[in-house]
Amino acid sequence: MESRIDRIKKQLHGASYKLTPQREATVRVLLENEEDHLSAEDVYLLVKEKAPEIGLATVYRTLELLTELKIVDKINFGDGVSRYDLRQEGAAHFHHHLVCIECGAVDEIQEDLLDDVEAVVEKRWNFTVKDHRLTFHGICWRCNERHANEDEQ
Amino acid sequence: MESRIDRIKKQLHGASYKLTPQREATVRVLLENEEDHLSAEDVYLLVKEKAPEIGLATVYRTLELLTELKIVDKINFGDGVSRYDLRQEGAAHFHHHLVCIECGAVDEIQEDLLDDVEAVVEKRWNFTVKDHRLTFHGICWRCNERHANEDEQ
DNA sequence: TTACTAAATTAGAATAATTATAAAATGATT
DNA sequence: AATCATTTTATAATTATTCTAATTTAGTAA
Ligand SMILES: [Mn+2]
Ligand SMILES: [Mn+2]
Ligand SMILES: [Zn+2]
Ligand SMILES: [Zn+2]
């Protein structure tokens, strides 16, 4: 955890930004909620618990900065807010998401899975892929299991 | 074109909605700009040209209705507005997009390309795929050709 | 330390997208 | 023609995000 923060600090310094207390508190919240998909407001409320003086605009600016440095990815699941997601260290591409249309859960797929598709896109469309967003909408394993049990009855 | 409208009219009736003049004007704008990715405001301004009395809220409501009926898909490219995209008639899934990070162009891929990936997702994650959103970010063929020409000089 | 300077933060205002509300209009049905 | 549900309009309200100006902080040099 600390080493992760240190490496992020170095990334910031490398781009001649400082790791201010507010930025550090924001990064810590993101690390502590790595599996979640927090909105700026969510992050703000959580950061406020440890650094009550922080302003919402600072959170927005910090998230924007982290996005620029590809430390986090900004994503939109269609509910009107942007959400921020820590990128796996060293990952070339953003990971994928499974959004359940029944229970609303959002699960992650860290494997890339798109190598073949990207090869096709690069060749057939002469498009140089730098990143991607892939989200599946459907029924998650929990809801599927629940339905299976209900049918058994 | 007319037959396309007729089929949409039937879809609406099938769900016990009417094809009011405002709704028809909105659908026509979408059909006439099928290759674009219009925001609600964009649609509103275009509809206003043929039906100047229409209100913005009606456009929003119509687009929401068309989304519900899967006649259009709502998508967000990260620029703060939702965009609306006619779905190919009979297509099971939303098509894919190529967003150029240099010139901003948005191109479409109508082929599915994800059959294999979806099979993996269904089997390995026990996730029942109903739909998807796939967007590649990178450099489009036009920009790639331009760069190639510049290098030649 | 002290002074200087650029970067960063704060509080609050402004903007912009979207949604909600209430009154009026429409259109199908008896 | 009268009725009743649906739809639209105009406008207000809400919400997410960005901007602004004043203040604070952190780093550097005297
Ligand atoms: Mn994620
Ligand atoms: Mn499209
Ligand atoms: Zn579920
Ligand atoms: Zn381009």
Side-chain angles (χ1 to χ4, degrees):
Chain A
M1 175 76 154
E2 290 312 311
S3 62
R4 189 98 183 262
I5 297 244
D6 281 347
R7 286 193 293 277
I8 289 173
K9 186 174 188 172
K10 286 204 184 79
Q11 279 188 266
L12 285 169
H13 285 165
S16 52
Y17 292 110
K18 307 169 192 168
L19 182 65
T20 64
Q22 292 88 342
R23 285 174 184 167
E24 182 171 337
T26 304
V27 169
R28 280 185 191 281
V29 161
L30 292 172
L31 284 167
E32 286 162 10
N33 299 274
E34 200 164 0
E35 68 289 351
D36 292 330
H37 297 90
L38 304 174
S39 66
E41 182 83 24
D42 293 337
V43 173
Y44 173 61
L45 293 173
L46 289 167
V47 174
K48 254 186 142 9
E49 291 175 8
K50 25 177 85 164
E53 75 293 349
I54 200 171
L56 178 57
T58 299
V59 171
Y60 269 102
R61 258 181 290 103
T62 300
L63 290 171
E64 190 188 11
L65 174 61
L66 294 173
T67 302
E68 200 180 296
L69 297 178
K70 310 236 173 169
I71 294 166
V72 307
D73 285 297
K74 188 177 178 181
I75 191 171
N76 191 299
F77 291 122
D79 61 349
V81 288
S82 292
R83 298 181 177 277
Y84 298 85
D85 209 355
L86 264 186
R87 185 182 280 224
Q88 295 260 107
E89 269 190 299
H93 286 159
F94 193 22
H95 57 255
H96 315 310
H97 294 94
L98 305 177
V99 177
C100 181
I101 56 183
E102 291 199 357
C103 71
V106 178
D107 294 318
E108 305 195 333
I109 295 186
Q110 298 290 347
E111 280 99 309
D112 194 324
L113 303 182
L114 287 182
D115 285 336
D116 293 345
V117 175
E118 290 186 2
V120 171
V121 168
E122 302 236 352
K123 183 164 288 180
R124 297 243 302 271
W125 278 269
N126 187 20
F127 185 91
T128 309
V129 176
K130 297 286 189 185
D131 202 0
H132 55 228
R133 293 290 121 113
L134 173 59
T135 302
F136 290 103
H137 300 252
I139 301 167
C140 76
W141 64 270
R142 286 166 296 266
C143 289
N144 272 329
E145 286 193 357
R146 181 161 40 77
H147 295 324
N149 287 335
E150 283 160 10
D151 289 351
E152 259 174 34
Q153 312 288 316
Chain B
M1 175 77 152
E2 290 313 310
S3 61
R4 188 98 183 262
I5 297 244
D6 281 347
R7 286 193 293 276
I8 290 173
K9 185 173 187 173
K10 286 204 184 79
Q11 278 188 267
L12 284 170
H13 285 165
S16 51
Y17 291 110
K18 306 168 193 168
L19 182 65
T20 63
Q22 292 88 342
R23 285 175 183 165
E24 182 171 339
T26 304
V27 168
R28 281 185 190 281
V29 161
L30 292 172
L31 284 168
E32 286 162 11
N33 298 274
E34 201 163 0
E35 68 289 350
D36 291 331
H37 297 92
L38 304 174
S39 67
E41 182 83 25
D42 293 338
V43 173
Y44 172 62
L45 293 174
L46 288 166
V47 174
K48 256 189 135 31
E49 292 175 8
K50 23 178 86 165
E53 75 294 348
I54 200 170
L56 178 57
T58 299
V59 170
Y60 269 102
R61 256 180 292 104
T62 301
L63 291 170
E64 189 188 11
L65 175 61
L66 294 173
T67 302
E68 200 179 297
L69 298 179
K70 308 234 177 181
I71 293 165
V72 307
D73 285 296
K74 188 177 178 181
I75 191 171
N76 191 299
F77 291 123
D79 61 347
V81 288
S82 291
R83 297 182 176 277
Y84 298 84
D85 209 353
L86 264 185
R87 186 181 279 223
Q88 295 260 107
E89 269 191 298
H93 287 159
F94 193 22
H95 58 254
H96 315 310
H97 294 95
L98 305 177
V99 177
C100 182
I101 56 182
E102 292 199 357
C103 70
V106 178
D107 294 317
E108 304 194 334
I109 295 187
Q110 299 288 346
E111 279 99 309
D112 194 323
L113 302 183
L114 287 183
D115 285 336
D116 294 345
V117 175
E118 290 186 0
V120 170
V121 168
E122 301 236 353
K123 183 165 288 180
R124 297 242 302 271
W125 278 269
N126 187 20
F127 184 91
T128 310
V129 175
K130 297 286 190 185
D131 202 0
H132 55 227
R133 293 288 121 113
L134 172 58
T135 302
F136 290 103
H137 300 253
I139 302 167
C140 77
W141 65 271
R142 286 166 296 265
C143 289
N144 271 330
E145 286 193 356
R146 182 161 39 76
H147 295 323
N149 288 335
E150 283 161 9
D151 289 349
E152 259 174 35
Q153 313 287 316

